[in-house]
Amino acid sequence: MRNVINVSVTPKGTLETLSQIEVQQLSEAGSGSTYRLFRQCALAILNTGVQIDNAKAILEAYQDFDVRIHQQERGVRLELINAPADAFVDGEMIASTREMLFSALRDVVYTESELGSPRIDLASSTGITDYVFHLLRNARTMRPGLEPKMVVCWGGHSIDTEEYKYTKKVGHELGLRSLDICTGCGPGVMKGPMKGAAIAHAKQRISTGRYLGLTEPGIIAAEAPNPIVNELVILPDIEKRLEAFVRVGHGIIIFPGGVGTAEEFLYLLGILLHPDNQSLPFPVVLTGPSSARAYLEQLHDFVGATLGEQAQQRYEVIIDDPAAVARHMAKGLREVTDFRRAHNDAYHFNWLLKIDEGFQYPFDPTHENMASLQLSRDLPPHELAANLRRAFSGIVAGNVKDKGIRRIEEHGVYQIHGDVSVTEPLGRLLEAFVAQHRMKLPGGAEYVPCYRVVG
């Protein structure tokens, strides 16, 4: 039986007063889509810690959950009806949950209000980057003047205990070197490095450690924010989220994961392979414990088989050595600092990084769009990386996103076509993900593929 609670909460700290139009947008009587978006994000945040990675199941389990926004003289108040009781202690909402709940309100309201602004241009590459910048600035993510020390950690939410402990060890080594952590904000690899860094920051008496979580509405229900996150930003879609990672991060560590991690890795490699970015310093490490050696080698071989040796040279592979990972990253961040200082680029936002439009425009993983992806070695490597990234993005949607799961239920599995030189290594990699239980959280139902790779 579900344990639910009805309660009213106000922001902790400050939140800009919402206008009457913004309150209307967030009410059922106003813009239904905006209200549904915030309700979905709020429910995900209130479910933090629940071991379910099926957004559809979570939304269906709390169909009677409601959130109402009331404007007051001093700001805004949220009325929660049939909210998950695990988010409360003796009737009081847990502080981290409360912070993230109002971060979601801030981001949803600002995103929707900005879309109507005449200065927003989502039809051009520079316009999209400017939009991402404004979303991050509104969330107070920017910290001008701080030298580069934000390390992005990517990896799966479905990992085993040994891999999770390894991510904590790496995070601990990063924290001992006074580095901050940015992840996708969920469980697994998104939590481990933050936990390790938090302990290390306490040892170094660092009270200003940053644990930045970047997410988007389509994935937040499946990967609810972990409670260590002290800065949460909800971007409008996966493409804006990925661009935010590479614009605010100064280096990236890729841990073991599944298709979501492969999507992120290919996105990054596709950008770094662009001719305009060849001289840009951007430290990248692929790492994991000894038990993940086979996985790391499979991913490394897949990159070589599809994108070539040039792509493999854009990252370092380090196995079972957390201190070496942290030292490599610290050294790389010093090079980033020197480069940005020499080129007058901002420390807090990587303006010089060239991101091709193919990586910025949202990809809707319909069955038609998935089947028509061009997967050929005849494409330039950065374009092939973009299309492979879209293929993995579709599989993520079919695995855990509410809309994607419903599409699979209605139309059957995705068909992924391409040249044999690409589909064979792709098929092998996906088979390995399934065999290693990297597609879903451990302990759940047996994984049923939402795709079929056709050579």
Side-chain angles (χ1 to χ4, degrees), residues 83-155:
D86 288 343
F88 300 82
V89 176
D90 297 335
E92 291 289 327
M93 183 175 286
I94 296 170
S96 60
T97 304
R98 191 176 177 186
E99 283 180 8
M100 290 190 281
L101 186 63
F102 284 96
S103 293
L105 178 64
R106 173 203 67 208
D107 292 341
V108 170
V109 170
Y110 186 75
T111 299
E112 292 298 317
S113 62
E114 279 292 280
L115 286 176
S117 171
R119 65 180 179 79
I120 296 299
D121 174 22
L122 298 181
S124 71
S125 178
T126 54
I128 291 172
T129 296
D130 190 64
Y131 182 50
V132 171
F133 173 82
H134 283 284
L135 293 173
L136 292 170
R137 187 175 67 177
N138 180 67
R140 300 193 178 107
T141 299
M142 308 298 186
R143 305 287 173 88
L146 289 182
E147 291 199 353
K149 62 174 184 174
M150 182 65 75
V151 179
V152 173
C153 295
W154 282 342

Side-chain angles (χ1 to χ4, degrees), residues 33-348:
S33 61
T34 307
Y35 165 78
R36 287 193 298 272
L37 182 63
F38 175 60
R39 175 186 175 277
Q40 177 176 321
C41 293
L43 181 57
I45 290 167
L46 293 168
N47 267 291
T48 292
V50 176
Q51 293 297 304
I52 300 176
D53 61 354
N54 186 316
K56 179 171 173 280
I58 292 174
L59 294 172
E60 289 179 347
Y62 289 92
Q63 291 184 20
D64 57 352
F65 167 72
D66 196 11
V67 54
R68 297 171 186 170
I69 299 93
H70 303 285
Q71 188 166 10
Q72 304 178 134
E73 293 298 325
R74 293 184 297 171
V76 67
R77 174 173 60 86
L78 296 180
E79 182 184 0
L80 305 176
I81 301 168
N82 294 321
D86 288 343
F88 300 82
V89 176
D90 297 335
E92 291 289 327
M93 183 175 286
I94 296 170
S96 60
T97 304
R98 191 176 177 186
E99 283 180 8
M100 290 190 281
L101 186 63
F102 284 96
S103 293
L105 178 64
R106 173 203 67 208
D107 292 341
V108 170
V109 170
Y110 186 75
T111 299
E112 292 298 317
S113 62
E114 279 292 280
L115 286 176
S117 171
R119 65 180 179 79
I120 296 299
D121 174 22
L122 298 181
S124 71
S125 178
T126 54
I128 291 172
T129 296
D130 190 64
Y131 182 50
V132 171
F133 173 82
H134 283 284
L135 293 173
L136 292 170
R137 187 175 67 177
N138 180 67
R140 300 193 178 107
T141 299
M142 308 298 186
R143 305 287 173 88
L146 289 182
E147 291 199 353
K149 62 174 184 174
M150 182 65 75
V151 179
V152 173
C153 295
W154 282 342
H157 69 298
S158 177
I159 57 172
D160 63 31
T161 302
E162 189 170 350
E163 290 172 353
Y164 177 70
K165 288 180 178 178
Y166 182 79
T167 69
K168 285 201 297 184
K169 291 176 182 177
V170 173
H172 186 260
E173 292 291 339
L174 295 171
L176 289 176
R177 290 161 177 80
S178 303
L179 302 179
D180 292 321
I181 306 293
C182 173
T183 76
C185 87
V189 171
M190 291 167 276
K191 179 182 179 182
M194 288 185 171
K195 196 167 187 178
I199 295 171
H201 286 161
K203 289 181 178 180
Q204 295 286 30
R205 299 297 184 260
I206 296 172
S207 59
T208 56
R210 300 180 66 191
Y211 316 107
L212 173 63
L214 304 180
T215 187
E216 49 103 0
I219 201 73
I220 190 171
E223 298 177 358
N226 73 73
I228 302 171
V229 172
N230 61 9
E231 296 179 50
L232 176 68
V233 186
I234 301 175
L235 285 303
D237 52 57
I238 184 62
E239 286 79 12
K240 309 296 186 303
R241 179 195 188 198
L242 288 170
E243 179 160 356
F245 275 124
V246 299
R247 295 289 185 190
V248 302
H250 304 114
I252 295 182
I253 299 172
I254 294 99
F255 292 97
V259 285
T261 304
E263 176 188 3
E264 293 165 338
F265 194 24
L266 288 163
Y267 174 88
L268 177 62
L269 291 177
I271 290 172
L272 296 181
L273 287 172
H274 193 286
D276 291 357
N277 295 326
Q278 286 187 355
S279 62
L280 197 76
F282 203 116
V284 181
V285 177
L286 178 63
T287 189
S290 296
S291 61
R293 181 181 296 274
Y295 164 84
L296 299 172
E297 291 175 348
Q298 286 166 342
L299 191 55
H300 180 66
D301 291 344
F302 172 76
V303 170
T306 55
L307 304 180
E309 187 180 348
Q310 182 186 5
Q312 292 175 318
Q313 293 174 349
R314 290 304 313 227
Y315 59 88
E316 191 81 15
V317 179
I318 300 175
I319 298 177
D320 204 26
D321 195 337
V325 173
R327 285 194 296 268
H328 181 86
M329 193 54 57
K331 178 177 178 291
L333 295 193
R334 288 193 291 271
E335 295 173 359
V336 170
T337 303
D338 294 341
F339 181 87
R340 295 199 187 181
R341 184 180 291 123
H343 291 79
N344 294 314
D345 193 20
Y347 289 152
H348 56 275

Side-chain angles (χ1 to χ4, degrees), residues 345-412:
D345 193 20
Y347 289 152
H348 56 275
F349 194 82
N350 194 348
W351 289 106
L352 289 179
L353 188 70
K354 168 66 178 177
I355 300 181
D356 193 79
E357 291 179 355
F359 292 91
Q360 293 181 303
Y361 293 132
F363 174 69
D364 185 15
T366 64
H367 282 68
E368 181 182 0
N369 288 341
M370 288 288 284
S372 61
L373 287 172
Q374 281 188 284
L375 301 179
S376 170
R377 288 296 301 270
D378 294 334
L379 293 172
H382 67 280
E383 292 183 18
L384 175 56
N387 285 338
L388 284 169
R389 198 284 299 177
R390 294 184 180 106
F392 283 113
S393 184
I395 296 173
V396 171
N399 281 350
V400 300
K401 294 187 179 182
D402 178 52
K403 189 174 182 180
I405 293 170
R406 293 181 188 277
R407 281 175 171 167
I408 299 299
E409 290 176 346
E410 184 176 353
H411 303 293

